[in-house]
Amino acid sequence: MEIGQKVRVRRLRDRVPPAVVSKLGQVGVVRDFKVVDGQGVGLLIQFDDQFATWFFEDELEQYN
């Protein structure tokens, strides 16, 4: 995945706040990468409502 690419949130790995759960199935844009401790790379995703949070790459799918 690349910065600027559109992605859809397809699943959530961990327990997260309701604001993040509400993004399940929604499309956002990759804005940045985040190094996480031993779990791989995280991606910062920004949604149309300007809400932004990070997800693991396996929680996302490419959106065309």
Side-chain angles (χ1 to χ4, degrees):
M1 294 187 188
E2 301 174 1
I3 292 178
Q5 180 178 5
K6 287 187 177 184
V7 295
R8 182 188 321 267
V9 180
R10 67 180 181 99
R11 74 182 189 106
L12 300 170
R13 236 194 231 191
D14 300 315
R15 296 182 88 158
V16 293
V20 177
V21 173
S22 72
K23 300 305 178 191
L24 192 59
Q26 291 194 20
V27 174
V29 177
V30 178
R31 293 293 180 210
D32 204 358
F33 296 97
K34 176 179 177 170
V35 177
V36 292
D37 57 341
Q39 298 288 328
V41 175
L43 296 108
L44 179 66
I45 308 301
Q46 184 175 27
F47 298 91
D48 288 341
D49 63 0
Q50 302 309 307
F51 178 83
T53 191
W54 69 275
F55 296 91
F56 290 109
E57 191 169 7
D58 66 345
E59 295 176 311
L60 304 168
E61 63 186 11
Q62 293 182 10
Y63 181 79
N64 296 328

